[in-house]
Amino acid sequence: MNKVIFIGPPGSGKGTQASLLKENLDYFLLSTGDLLREEMKNDTNLGKEIKHYINNGLFVPDEIITDFIIDYIEKNELHKKKVVFDGFPRRIAQAKALEEQLVKYKRDIDCVIMIDLSDDDIIKRLSGRKSCPSCKAVYPADKSNDICDKCKTALIKRADDNVNTIKKRIKIYNKETFPLIEYYKNKYKIFKIDGRENIENTHSRIMEIVSNNE
Ligand code: AMP
């Protein structure tokens, strides 16, 4: 399996699962949210332009995000690599732009993994989570300390992980990203996963899917 797309509402664990796939099966991880947050941290022109959208739980407009990601794919020659896409595409227009980019190199998406979670579970999970600004690891609210287990950096709470912004992100996900699943159903193999499962079980299920579809 060469190009895998993860889709899921905020807090479904898709970022964590995409990182595990990177660690265990040597995938290149394209995490759109992490790349954008890095731009904000470095206060680049793009970072300044997108800050308002991200901190308010809004999508970065297609023209900005698509140019940025397609350029990133091109620079890193991702058409040649095994890639897990986390957070891109999030809209049908973005999916079409990605397809066009891959077709240029006679490549295609191999499968789509969708992690599902109810609105209540999303709010419960996100409103307390903490993340590592350095290695990007994510931890649940009940973690006993605020230090990253992997790299010992002090953990932070994401600016967009507050209840109002989370509700906005869920609404936008349902309106903008959910139709993408219908679009992909007609094109690729799509696997639906229950996001309530713990990290290990979900990872095993994903490994099974990816291995069985090599
Ligand atoms: P994430 O870390 O994947 O939850 O992304 C954090 C935020 O980055 C989102 O809430 C959006 O504001 C922005 N973002 C990430 N990916 C995209 C995308 N494909 N299209 C538009 N905005 C995006």
Side-chain angles (χ1 to χ4, degrees):
M1 192 99 70
N2 228 289
K3 308 276 182 290
V4 180
I5 291 182
F6 273 56
I7 296 182
S12 57
K14 62 182 171 17
T16 303
Q17 293 300 331
S19 304
L20 287 171
L21 210 51
K22 172 191 162 168
E23 276 167 32
N24 294 330
L25 286 183
D26 211 21
Y27 272 78
F28 185 102
L29 170 61
L30 192 160
S31 164
T32 319
D34 284 346
L35 290 177
L36 297 176
R37 280 185 289 277
E38 204 58 30
E39 294 289 321
M40 295 201 304
K41 199 170 114 195
N42 296 332
D43 208 23
T44 61
N45 286 340
L46 177 69
K48 289 187 183 104
E49 205 176 345
I50 61 178
K51 197 173 185 164
H52 155 83
Y53 298 106
I54 297 192
N55 287 346
N56 287 294
L58 303 169
F59 274 7
V60 172
D62 278 349
E63 323 71 88
I64 301 177
I65 191 86
T66 301
D67 282 359
F68 174 66
I69 295 294
I70 297 298
D71 193 45
Y72 184 87
I73 291 175
E74 190 73 46
K75 277 192 189 133
N76 289 282
E77 299 195 306
L78 294 192
H79 55 276
K80 292 183 183 164
K81 301 180 184 162
K82 286 198 323 186
V83 187
V84 50
F85 292 90
D86 162 25
F88 187 91
R90 265 177 154 105
R91 298 184 69 239
I92 292 175
Q94 296 177 9
K96 288 185 175 166
L98 176 62
E99 274 161 48
E100 274 170 30
Q101 174 65 19
L102 294 177
V103 161
K104 257 179 34 190
Y105 296 98
K106 300 194 168 39
R107 298 291 200 283
D108 205 355
I109 309 297
D110 294 292
C111 91
V112 177
I113 295 179
M114 190 235 168
I115 309 184
D116 206 11
L117 197 65
S118 74
D119 293 2
D120 282 352
D121 285 330
I122 294 171
I123 293 169
K124 234 182 274 162
R125 208 181 262 186
L126 285 192
S127 49
R129 81 171 169 182
K130 304 161 196 173
S131 53
C132 175
S134 175
C135 75
K136 321 294 179 203
V138 179
Y139 298 94
D142 59 3
K143 185 177 186 325
S144 58
N145 59 36
D146 282 348
I147 302 291
C148 178
D149 294 340
K150 293 185 184 162
C151 71
K152 309 297 171 210
T153 305
L155 301 178
I156 55 165
K157 200 167 170 333
R158 271 173 52 172
D160 56 350
D161 279 347
N162 63 75
V163 176
N164 280 343
T165 311
I166 294 166
K167 283 186 179 160
K168 216 187 289 173
R169 286 160 65 202
I170 295 173
K171 211 165 153 190
I172 294 178
Y173 171 83
N174 288 334
K175 181 164 176 272
E176 304 287 348
T177 308
F178 205 72
L180 187 56
I181 296 162
E182 209 47 47
Y183 173 78
Y184 273 150
K185 256 188 204 160
N186 300 320
K187 291 177 88 81
Y188 307 117
K189 280 186 191 162
I190 178 157
F191 298 90
K192 199 169 161 185
I193 292 194
D194 186 345
R196 288 170 306 176
E197 275 290 348
N198 65 33
I199 294 179
E200 292 74 26
N201 289 349
T202 307
H203 178 54
S204 304
R205 174 75 189 112
I206 291 173
M207 291 287 275
E208 196 181 284
I209 292 170
V210 173
S211 320
N212 286 344
N213 287 279
E214 282 290 356

